[in-house]
Amino acid sequence: MAGLNGGADAARVAQVYRPVTSLGPGRRLGVWFQGCPLACPGCMSRHTWDPAGGRELTVGRFAELWRAALADGIDGLTVSGGEPLAQAPALAALLAAADEERRRAGSAAARAADLLVYTGWEPEELAADPATASALDGADAVITGRYRAGQPTRLAWRGSANQRLDLRTALGRERYAPYLDHRPERPELQVQVTEGEVRVIGVPRPGDLGRIERELVRRGVTLRETSWRP
Ligand code: SF4
C-alpha cells in the first residue's frame, strides 16, 4: 500500500458540502479527501487523485463546520474521497473531533449523528496494516473496497458488488443494519452546480453519468471535461 501523507492538524480535501443526501442516511455533512493512489479503472472522481490538489481543511475549521451542521439538525458525517486512508493521521483527527463535538451537542439527535467513511482499501489490506487502519476506529460505519466497474450493484451507497458495508459501533449497527441489503430502485444522485462546475454527488449506476451529461446538454450546458473520463 502506498505511503501515507500529511499530519494530524489538517487534511487536504477536494470538497466540503452539506446537505449530502446521497451518501448515507438522512442529511449529512460531506468531506471529500484529496489524493488517491488506488486508480480504480472507471473511477468517477479522478479530480481527487492528485495529492497536491484540493485545499487544506484544518481540524479546527472542520470542527466549526461540523458543530454548525449539528446545530442545524444534520444526521451524520460522510468522509469520502479520494482515499481518506492516504491521510490517516488527519482522518483520525477529524473523526475524533467529530465525535467530541457530537458528545458535547445539546440535543439527543445531534449526539446520535453518525460517522461514515469510504475507503478503497480491501478488508485484507486493512487487516495487514492495523496501524493505518486504526484511523477508521472513530467511524460508526465504513464502506470498504476498490470500485470495480465490472461488478455493478444495486446495493445502497455501494459502487460495486465487492464493496462491503462494515458496521463498527452500536450506533452504526442501529443506523445502517436496515441498509445492508437494501437495493433502491434508483440511487439518489445530487447534481450540484457551482461557478463553472457541475458535480454529481452519490453513487451512480452504469449509464447514469451519461444520462446526466445528455440532460445537461439538453439544457444548454456543455461539459468541457469530466472527472469520470481519463
Ligand atoms: S473509486 Fe475511490 S478508491 Fe478508487 S480511484 Fe476513485 S477515489 Fe480512489
Side-chain angles (χ1 to χ4, degrees), residues 13 18-19 24-25 27 30 40 65 68 70 78 107 109 131 153-154 164 167 171 206 210 230:
V13 300
R18 80 172 159 107
R27 295 166 62 250
C40 305
L65 294 170
L70 290 172
T78 296
S107 73
T153 184
R154 292 180 52 227
R164 283 177 31 184
L167 311 185
L171 174 60

Side-chain angles (χ1 to χ4, degrees), residues 109-150:
R111 289 194 292 277
D114 72 271
L115 312 179
L116 169 68
V117 180
Y118 280 81
T119 175
W121 284 35
E122 306 288 352
E124 55 273 21
E125 292 171 329
L126 295 171
D129 187 350
T132 304
S134 68
L136 296 167
D137 285 353
D140 297 299
V142 180
I143 294 179
T144 63
R146 306 283 196 281
Y147 169 65
R148 300 198 193 284

Side-chain angles (χ1 to χ4, degrees), residues 9-88:
D9 297 338
R12 282 210 82 74
V13 300
Q15 189 185 13
V16 178
Y17 182 72
R18 80 172 159 107
V20 172
T21 56
S22 51
L23 293 170
R27 295 166 62 250
R28 312 179 67 81
L29 176 65
V31 177
W32 286 260
F33 273 45
Q34 179 72 30
C36 181
L38 302 179
C40 305
C43 169
M44 68 176 277
S45 306
R46 297 174 66 93
H47 65 293
T48 65
W49 287 10
D50 179 1
R55 63 185 170 86
E56 186 180 88
L57 175 67
T58 65
V59 175
R61 177 65 185 141
F62 165 75
E64 286 174 10
L65 294 170
W66 176 237
R67 202 179 308 136
L70 290 172
D72 201 27
I74 210 84
D75 295 297
L77 169 73
T78 296
V79 179
S80 182
E83 175 48 61
L85 281 179
Q87 302 179 67

Side-chain angles (χ1 to χ4, degrees), residues 147-154 158-160 187 203-211 214:
Y147 169 65
R148 300 198 193 284
Q151 299 179 36
T153 184
R154 292 180 52 227
R158 278 149 284 181
S160 52
V203 184
R205 290 184 185 154
D208 283 347
L209 293 174
R211 268 191 292 280
R214 286 193 293 279

